[in-house]
Amino acid sequence: MVHLTIVDGVVPEYLAAARKNFDAEYAAEFERNCRALYDQMARIALEPQWARFHDFGAGRVPEFLAELAKKSS
C-alpha cells in the first residue's frame, strides 16, 4: 500500500537524508535553499504487503542470483 501526504514546507526526512551526505556548512545552505524553493512537498510512504528474507551468509542464494553469478564468471 502507498500513502501520500502533502506537507507544508520541506519534509523533515528529506533534509535528514541530505545531512548524511553533506558537511554541516553545505547542509545548512542546502536546507536554506530547499525552504526557499518549496512551499509544499509530498511524503510517499510504502507499506509492504509481504517481505522475503534471503540469508546469503547461510549459503541460501536464490536460484536467479546463482544463475546470474554463473553467467558473469
Side-chain angles (χ1 to χ4, degrees):
M1 176 164 287
V2 177
H3 303 280
L4 180 68
T5 307
I6 302 299
V7 176
D8 288 331
V10 178
V11 178
E13 298 91 331
Y14 182 72
L15 296 174
R19 283 187 208 104
K20 293 179 181 181
N21 297 304
F22 303 141
D23 63 36
E25 184 179 337
Y26 189 84
E29 181 181 349
F30 180 82
E31 182 173 345
R32 279 192 303 276
N33 290 334
C34 283
R35 291 189 187 284
L37 183 62
Y38 299 111
D39 293 329
Q40 292 183 320
M41 291 183 99
R43 177 185 291 122
I44 302 170
L46 303 174
E47 182 182 337
Q49 299 301 302
W50 65 273
R52 177 174 291 158
F53 175 75
H54 293 291
D55 189 356
F56 299 136
R60 292 190 280 270
V61 178
E63 187 175 332
F64 75 94
L65 285 179
E67 290 298 319
L68 282 174
K70 282 181 191 176
K71 289 179 184 179
S72 69
S73 41

